Structures are given as C-alpha cells and as structure tokens.
Amino acid sequence: MTDTTLAPAEPTLPHSGLAKTFDPATIEAKWAAHWEAPDPATGRSLFRPHRPDATPYTIVNPPPNVTGALHIGHALDNTLQDVLIRYERLRGKDALWVVGTDHAGIATQMVVERQMAEVQDKRTNYSREDFIAKVWEWKAQSGGEITRQLRRLGCSMDWSREQFTMDPHFTRAVTKVFVQLFNEGLLYRDKRLVNWDPGLKTAISDLEVETREVQGKFWHFRYPLADGVRLADGRDYIVVATTRPETMLADMAVAVNASDARYASVVGQFVTLPITGRRIPIIADDHADPELGSGAVKITPGHDFNDFEVGKRAGIAPAEMLNMLDSEARIVDPGFACQIPADFFTDERMRSIRIGVDRFEARKIVIRMMGDLDLLEAVEDRIVNTPYGDRSGRIIEPWLTDQWYVDAATLARPAIEAVKSGAIEIVPKSWEKTFFNWMDNIQPWCVSRQLWWGHRIPVWYGPAIDKDGKPIEYLAGIDGDDALEMFVAECFEDAVQIAVKKYTGKADDIFEADNRISGFEGAASWNGRIGIWRDPNVLDTWFSSALWPFATLGWPEETVPLPFRGGAGGGVSPISAMPTDRPHPNPSPEGEGLKSESGPEGERESLLARHYPGDVLISGFDILFFWDARMMMQGLHFMKQPPFKTLYLHGLVRAPDGQKMSKSKGNVIDPLGLIDRYGADALRFFMAAMESQGRDIKMDDSRLEGYRNFATKLWNAARFCEANGIGASDTLAAPSASLPVNRWIIGEVVQTVAAIDAALAAYRFDDAANAIYAFAWGTFCDWYLELIKPVLSHKPSPLQGGG
C-alpha cells in the first residue's frame, strides 16, 4: 500500500461496503463460485490459469471412493494439498491439481445391492450388463456427493478435468497395463490361498483385513496313530491343538520338528484322521515348535497360510490340496468320505456334516463328534487374533482358489531404489523404515476380485484341444486351468487372433460365448466352431488407482490431449466397464460435457509430458501400501520415472481424548458440521496449524473457535481499511514508502514471507500457519492498524518522522 492510501485527502469514511457481521457460509459460497467460474475469454477458471510458459507444478489428489462422504481425514488431507497448490499458483507456476473419484469396486457394489435389498430385489435377478447399468444410474444420481463436499471445503482443484477410474480413457490404460504385465511375465494366474470374504464372496487383500482380538478356545485333539505304531512313551496317538476344529476335515498331514526326540520314531508314519477315516502322514518341518503345546501341528494347506507353505515343502501341489468350503464358507465334500457308520449318531445334523453346513455349525458338530469318540483331550480359553473383512464385517476364511497375481517383488525393487537414492523423498523420514520393511518382504499381489462392478479382466478362455485338434469337453469350471486355454488381449478381436494360432482355424470359426458352458458343445457334437468366454472377474480397485498419476494425464496416448468434463464435473461415463462391453443403456448425448484441452489460441499440448512426474503426493500413512507404494511401482515400470518427487505422510485426526475415531465408538466427527459451526476457513486453518510432522491431530473445539475468531478479526480489519479508503494495489510492483511505520510493516511482511517460504519448503505446515497468524493478528491488526490511525485522522504521530 502507498502512503497516499494511508493519508487520504478526504476525512475518514464512516462506513464500509462489507457487511458488519462476518458470515462464513455466505462469503465462502460466493467466492467459491466466483473462483470456479470459467473466464469468458479463456474458458478456464482461476483454479487452472493458462500458463504455458510457466514452470509446471502438479499434485494428484488421492481419489476418494465414489460412494464416500467427506470425513475428517479428507479435510486434513485436502487442506494440506490446497495450501501447496494455492501457494505455488500464487508464485506463478502452472499449477495443476488433478481431481477425481475411484469406482471403489467392493464398496459401490455393496451400496447398490443394499439399496436393491430394501425393495426385496437382488443382483442375481439381473444379467451382468443390466446390473452394471443400475450401478451407472446410481453413480449419476449419488456418485458426485464427495466432490460437492470437497468444493464446500474450498478445494481449488481443476474441477473442469474431474476424472473417474471407470472413464473410457482410464479403462484403456488399465487394460493395456494388464496385458503388458502379462506379456512381460509379471502377471500370472496361480492357485494359492487368498483372504476370502464369505459375505462379499470375493478375495480381498491383506490390507483389507482387520485383525481383532476375540475370546475363543483352543481345542486339543487326539489323532490315533495308524498301523499299530506307538510313541516312545507308549501312547498310540498324537495330540494336536487348533482354534478352528472344523478345518480338521481337510487335514493332510501332522507336522513335528525334526529335532523333537518325542516324535523321531514316527516321522514318515501315519495317523488316522478322526471322523473322515483318512490316513495322513507325519512329516518333519520347522514350522512345528517343540516348545509350543505338544510340539505337533495339524496341517491343513487348503485353509491356513502357514500350512499352505508347509504343504508345498512336503511336496503337496496346490491342485492336490483339499478345499472343504464353498464361497459362502459352507462345508462341501473335498473328495473324502466320512467313514463313521451312518447310525453312529442319532442327531441328523451330525450325519450331514459334509454338505451345506455352515463352518461354525460344523465346528460344533466336530467338537461333539470328537468328544463322543473320546478324542477331545482338553479345552482352554484363549484370546484369538481373528481376521475380519474391513467392509463386510465377516470373519475371513483362507480359501484355495485360482486368482490373478502381480509379481510385486520384481516391481518393488525400482521403488525401493528410488527411495534409497533420494529420487523419491518420504517426509517424515521416519516412515522410510516401515516402507522398506514392507517392500522388502512384499508378497504376490492378488489383483482379481469376484465382483461385477469394476474393470473386467481382459482374458478369454477356451477349451483345450486333444491330439486331433478337437476341444476337450470340460464343464467343471474355470479352476481347472489344465483343461483350458487362456488368451490375454486388450479386446475380443485381439483375443481371436491369438486363439486362431492355437486352434488352427479361421477367425470366423471363433465366437464370443457368454460363459464356459456355451463356449463349446463337447467332442460328440463339435461342429468345428469354438467359443471363447471372458473371465467373469474384475480387477482390484487398487490395481487401477495405481495408474492415477499418469492415466489421468492421458496415458497411453502421449501426444493426444485428454478430453475433460465441462461445468461442475461428475458426469456419467457413457460406456460400461471395458471397451468391448455393451454400452450403457442410457448414454449421455453425444459430445455432452466433453471438451479438448486447448488454450485461447487453440494450441494442443501433452499434459502427460508437462505434468508427469508430479511434485508431491500427500496422503495418510494408512494408504502407504494400499496406494502410494503401488503408484511408485507402476509409475516407475511404465513411465520410467517416479510418479512424484516427494511423498508427505500425515497422521490421523483423533477424537479430543486421543482415541481413534470409529463409528463403533460413536466418536466420529463430521467435518461438514464443523464447517456449519465455524466456517471452512477456520477448519482449514486449524488443520494446517495443527499438522506437525509425524504427529496425530487431536480435535479441539476451543482451537476451532479461536480460528473462527481469527477469521472475524481479519474481516473487521478489512472493513476498517475499506472504510478508510485503503484498497488493494493495482500493480505488481511494490509501492514506495517514506513513512517509518510503512517501512517497518514492509520489513515485517518480508520477514513473514521468508518464514512461510522456509516452512513450506520443509513441509512444516504448522510453522507456516503460525507465522501467518502471528503477523496478521499481532503485527498487522494489533500494531500497524493502531499506529496508522493518527495518520488517517491527520493527527501527528511520533512514527511519522519528517512527514
């Protein structure tokens, strides 16, 4: 400001054009709409100014679930991003904040199915295509809630380019990645144990499993030794213990430690598995600890992750491992027959243990049977670490099935090196140890899910052929991969070209079947045509979101600008999950809401080349492995560069008493309610001021009220200035100042700006916020405005110097 603005010729103005009372809701809504509105000349909003010659600066927002609502973690995460993007935009950079939502395969399908259940309807009443159409309808009506709430928080994102992970361009990227990884040998199909959610009827990842301590029991069973064999102490049985008695039906061995003298004489012998009557071997394996319990362990490789590895070491192939449960965790016959006489029990339920009985009902039956057979030695109470699905709330079952896996260990190596070399900086640095520990021990990544909503796996199956070139009749299911051929391709037409080479026929002889049963008619009625059918499963949501930093910028089309949505965004994609799927039944009018990236002169640039890699990624530490690490792996593999230069991990926002917020505890705080009470600016300032690297944030209403008062203080200061004719400068050049008071305040501004620059360069959001608070409240309002009042009223002041 100039000296003349501080000393107007006219008397002090009595009134300000600003309202007397500070009303955050009215003010924030007004200015948010103004900033987001496109400029008539350029078509761009103030959130995405046209700066082709400026240094690019890029942040990609962790895409919230399309089913979600704003929670307190979103408020923190997006506030910190907004601080950086506004700061760099004000510094003149070509700042792009990528925004969008994730299709959230499991969560979205759950939401739609629950709505259907409310009207006594269910997914299986519809074809796959019709159900997917219903999901798109839901997305059109309700799927934009989270982005509307982010707007209310004041996020200055490039809303015109809002993305969705099921958009056509994104789907093309996902398909290409899958096929390329397969062709490179980094993606494969395998029979392994997975975390199976019987409620959702799909595999889920280790990271989607919650381990809870549950009061349970430890049952000690006697397994009779076979063939008259006895232990050295004369016993004719081995004692094993388990927290899951029902799994004994699928036991395939008993393991003892080779160093355990108690069992040295029986290694290689057999026990007779009770109830089933099967003979299973006694094997030596270090998994059995002589110091724990009896030192003998029952091995159920089809239903326990440790036992799976023991079984493989013992030479049991995964295809030979017994699976005693169906997809709903009910007992099935895994190829054994119960040898207990049918009239041994009078309880009808106990004779039907093999087929259709729920796992926990089967547990009761097994315990009762073992007791009646005098084979239950002891029962002890024990706290059991029990896995639960984080969405369904059901107990997870290790389940043996064929799934698609990514060789995560190979993809992890470049990411590890990027962090070690400093190509990616993790802030705070204390998280590096956790990162390295997980990445160094990373397991194969199961990327297939048994859902309908999502990116459908681009694999087609066909029948294997015999020596005469005829299809082998196989109708037992796609788990029998030995009887199937697999064709991995980006579309059906490409799959046909691969299949032609296998079946030595014409492309016209290969048709797309609806499923495996209609794929071929059997050898007897074979007419020379072969049907291939698509894998019914979809990809893990995190597989697609790992591509977010480059697929949102148009990859794999490097030189073609990415279409983007006009207006408020959140439109409905006019196609379904994959390019080869049937179109959405109610597509948007052709071209509606789609524009090309072009400046005022119509130039076309590659966003990918300009804005990849990003500058910083901000996320909660809780998605370090869900998302952050996987973006590193995919970005380095496909783009040959890290997806971001800095990874900033913030803590949790906790309840006032320090507890973690959860719905079950009833201590969840709604950020929209806080915005209603205190305003978005107060909430945002609270988040920034409280964000100290490596520490969680405790909610504190008194601090929020204090920052609401701070906003009011600024409002009143602005009213005072406006009432006295002090306005904004109309030039970028700093005005000259001769009054000592003005020279002093300019020096204070310079020092404050330097403090803010240093704080944000080090990602010390709290230091930056506190510097602003101290200057605005204390230096400017309490001192400077008071000191200039004599100048404004034409009274002499000791600080005026020579005038």
Side-chain angles (χ1 to χ4, degrees):
M1 67 185 61
T2 65
D3 289 340
T4 53
T5 46
L6 294 181
E10 298 295 327
T12 299
L13 298 176
H15 299 293
S16 166
L18 296 177
K20 183 177 181 180
T21 303
F22 174 57
D23 178 14
T26 302
I27 296 163
E28 290 167 359
K30 171 188 173 182
W31 286 106
H34 170 75
W35 290 329
E36 190 178 334
D39 184 285
T42 65
R44 294 172 180 266
S45 76
L46 294 175
F47 294 162
R48 184 75 170 113
H50 183 63
R51 292 172 176 169
D53 299 324
T55 301
Y57 183 85
T58 312
I59 294 179
V60 297
N61 184 51
N65 286 356
V66 72
T67 61
L70 190 71
H71 59 65
I72 203 70
H74 287 133
L76 170 62
D77 196 87
N78 286 280
T79 292
L80 301 183
Q81 293 177 72
D82 204 15
V83 167
L84 293 182
I85 207 76
R86 288 178 185 266
Y87 173 70
E88 297 296 350
R89 191 184 293 128
L90 286 170
R91 296 175 77 197
K93 292 185 180 179
D94 182 23
L96 171 63
W97 189 4
V98 175
V99 60
T101 50
D102 189 278
H103 65 279
I106 291 175
T108 302
Q109 185 159 320
M110 282 179 61
V111 167
V112 175
E113 289 200 63
R114 284 173 180 168
Q115 289 185 349
M116 296 172 73
E118 291 175 358
V119 292
Q120 288 73 53
D121 200 359
K122 57 184 178 180
R123 170 173 57 92
T124 51
N125 289 340
Y126 300 85
S127 68
R128 183 187 189 113
E129 291 78 7
D130 289 343
F131 174 76
I132 290 174
K134 282 187 170 292
V135 180
W136 278 113
E137 290 170 5
W138 172 87
K139 200 264 183 185
Q141 297 168 4
S142 307
E145 183 63 24
I146 183 68
T147 54
R148 287 190 288 272
Q149 293 174 347
L150 287 174
R151 281 179 166 88
R152 192 169 175 208
L153 184 64
C155 297
S156 62
M157 296 161 167
D158 184 6
W159 293 106
S160 67
R161 188 172 288 285
E162 185 179 336
Q163 311 273 312
F164 182 50
T165 52
M166 291 283 283
D167 281 341
H169 73 274
F170 210 99
T171 295
R172 286 194 295 273
V174 172
T175 306
K176 178 179 175 62
V177 165
F178 184 99
V179 174
Q180 183 171 327
L181 289 176
F182 175 82
N183 291 335
E184 293 173 345
L186 296 173
L187 189 148
Y188 55 92
R189 189 169 168 83
D190 196 10
K191 184 182 289 292
R192 299 173 60 94
L193 282 186
V194 297
N195 295 301
W196 186 263
D197 190 319
L200 301 175
K201 300 180 185 61
T202 183
I204 62 175
S205 76
D206 294 343
L207 299 171
E208 294 167 303
V209 176
E210 293 179 350
T211 300
R212 306 178 191 171
E213 292 186 344
V214 177
Q215 181 61 55
K217 295 184 182 297
F218 212 33
W219 288 271
H220 298 255
F221 293 142
R222 296 176 179 176
Y223 280 12
L225 289 159
D227 306 321
V229 174
R230 289 181 179 269
L231 298 175
D233 62 5
R235 286 181 297 160
D236 62 353
Y237 59 85
I238 290 180
V239 175
V240 299
T242 180
T243 60
R244 300 159 65 212
E246 68 280 5
T247 62
M248 69 169 289
L249 299 174
D251 282 355
M252 299 189 73
V254 171
V256 297
N257 196 287
S259 65
D260 196 334
R262 293 172 295 177
Y263 302 111
S265 63
V266 297
V267 173
Q269 300 296 323
F270 295 83
V271 298
T272 301
L273 187 62
I275 300 178
T276 71
R278 288 187 294 110
R279 286 162 56 92
I280 60 176
I282 301 169
I283 63 174
D285 194 279
D286 289 343
H287 175 61
D289 187 345
E291 302 299 322
L292 293 179
S294 68
V297 183
K298 62 186 286 297
I299 302 301
T300 317
H303 294 282
D304 182 275
F305 288 101
N306 289 323
D307 293 2
F308 179 79
E309 299 301 328
V310 174
K312 287 200 301 182
R313 289 196 292 269
I316 304 173
E320 299 170 348
M321 295 176 182
L322 297 179
N323 189 345
M324 55 170 281
L325 298 174
D326 65 12
S327 64
E328 297 184 54
R330 299 173 303 189
I331 302 298
V332 295
D333 189 340
F336 57 79
C338 180
Q339 296 185 9
I340 299 296
D343 59 354
F344 189 86
F345 296 103
T346 57
D347 189 331
E348 191 66 29
R349 290 181 309 164
M350 301 181 73
R351 293 204 302 270
S352 64
I353 186 172
R354 288 169 294 166
I355 306 296
V357 177
D358 176 78
R359 54 182 164 162
F360 299 119
E361 183 65 24
R363 177 177 298 180
K364 299 175 184 177
I365 296 171
V366 166
I367 294 167
R368 181 176 172 183
M369 277 185 164
M370 294 297 284
D372 288 347
L373 292 169
D374 197 26
L375 298 177
L376 176 59
E377 180 163 287
V379 181
E380 59 178 294
D381 293 328
R382 175 169 292 195
I383 298 296
V384 180
N385 289 326
T386 305
Y388 283 80
D390 64 352
R391 294 192 180 279
S392 71
R394 296 282 294 274
I395 294 178
I396 297 303
E397 194 68 41
W399 204 47
L400 191 64
T401 181
D402 289 288
Q403 301 285 346
W404 286 95
Y405 292 88
V406 168
D407 180 358
T410 298
L411 292 179
R413 284 196 289 269
I416 293 171
E417 289 305 314
V419 174
K420 287 182 176 179
S421 70
I424 297 176
E425 179 187 12
I426 296 180
V427 180
K429 195 176 180 63
S430 57
W431 280 107
E432 283 189 3
K433 182 178 179 180
T434 304
F435 173 81
F436 290 135
N437 182 61
W438 191 77
M439 295 289 272
D440 287 336
N441 297 282
I442 198 168
Q443 298 298 306
W445 176 13
C446 178
V447 295
S448 45
R449 299 290 182 265
Q450 289 61 57
L451 304 170
W452 282 1
W453 171 247
H455 296 105
R456 194 165 174 183
I457 291 176
V459 178
W460 284 259
Y461 300 94
I465 56 176
D466 60 20
K467 58 184 178 61
D468 298 320
K470 294 183 178 181
I472 299 171
E473 187 169 7
Y474 181 80
L475 301 178
I478 64 172
D479 283 345
D481 286 352
D482 290 343
L484 295 175
E485 299 293 341
M486 294 188 298
F487 311 108
V488 179
E490 293 188 31
C491 61
F492 172 70
E493 290 73 20
D494 289 350
V496 168
Q497 295 305 312
I498 302 172
V500 164
K501 299 175 183 178
K502 178 67 180 180
Y503 294 130
T504 62
K506 299 178 181 178
D508 291 343
D509 292 332
I510 299 174
F511 64 94
E512 187 167 22
D514 291 334
N515 50 53
R516 67 179 186 273
I517 295 176
S518 60
F520 55 95
E521 300 169 283
S525 58
W526 184 54
N527 60 7
R529 301 193 71 218
I530 292 179
I532 61 175
W533 59 95
R534 190 164 185 175
D535 193 312
N537 299 325
V538 301
L539 286 164
D540 174 19
T541 295
W542 298 102
F543 182 88
S544 53
S545 59
L547 317 182
W548 189 251
F550 52 95
T552 51
L553 300 177
W555 186 90
E557 304 297 332
E558 297 186 15
T559 59
V560 179
L562 177 66
F564 76 106
R565 306 184 195 285
V572 182
S573 174
I575 68 168
S576 58
M578 298 290 289
T580 55
D581 284 349
R582 294 172 177 83
H584 186 276
N586 296 301
S588 302
E590 185 175 358
E592 180 181 346
L594 299 179
K595 301 178 181 179
S596 295
E597 171 82 342
S598 59
E601 291 80 30
E603 75 276 6
R604 296 161 67 84
E605 65 175 354
S606 169
L607 281 179
L608 185 65
R610 183 163 179 78
H611 287 282
Y612 186 93
D615 288 85
V616 60
L617 178 80
I618 293 181
S619 86
F621 68 82
D622 52 338
I623 59 172
L624 173 58
F625 305 121
F626 272 117
W627 190 52
D628 305 341
R630 288 168 176 170
M631 279 190 293
M632 293 183 198
M633 292 189 284
Q634 298 288 46
L636 283 161
H637 187 75
F638 287 95
M639 301 299 297
K640 311 307 178 187
Q641 295 184 77
F644 36 78
K645 301 160 191 171
T646 301
L647 171 61
Y648 182 88
L649 298 171
H650 59 73
L652 298 176
V653 183
R654 295 185 175 272
D657 60 2
Q659 291 192 56
K660 186 176 180 180
M661 294 185 193
S662 71
K663 292 180 180 178
S664 61
K665 294 178 181 177
N667 62 354
V668 173
I669 295 176
D670 179 10
L672 296 177
L674 296 177
I675 292 174
D676 288 340
R677 293 170 60 191
Y678 303 109
D681 284 337
L683 175 60
R684 287 154 56 95
F685 204 94
F686 169 82
M687 291 298 183
M690 298 297 289
E691 171 55 26
S692 181
Q693 290 180 10
R695 297 180 181 177
D696 291 342
I697 295 174
K698 288 184 182 180
M699 288 304 303
D700 184 344
D701 276 20
S702 65
R703 293 291 294 266
L704 275 166
E705 186 174 356
Y707 292 127
R708 166 65 159 75
N709 294 339
F710 179 49
T712 300
K713 181 89 169 180
L714 295 176
W715 180 262
N716 290 335
R719 290 185 69 246
F720 172 80
C721 290
E722 185 185 61
N724 285 279
I726 303 172
S729 175
D730 56 4
T731 66
L732 291 177
S736 60
S738 59
L739 292 178
V741 66
N742 287 338
R743 292 198 298 270
W744 168 74
I745 195 64
I746 289 173
E748 293 296 313
V749 169
V750 170
Q751 291 183 30
T752 302
V753 169
I756 294 170
D757 287 342
L760 292 181
Y763 299 101
R764 297 299 312 216
F765 295 93
D766 51 348
D767 289 348
N770 292 333
I772 292 170
Y773 186 92
F775 171 80
W777 189 296
T779 306
F780 183 76
C781 293
D782 286 355
W783 281 99
Y784 180 68
L785 293 185
E786 290 300 319
L787 290 171
I788 66 170
K789 284 181 179 179
V791 178
L792 299 176
S793 63
H794 304 289
K795 294 179 181 179
S797 168
L799 291 177
Q800 292 184 28

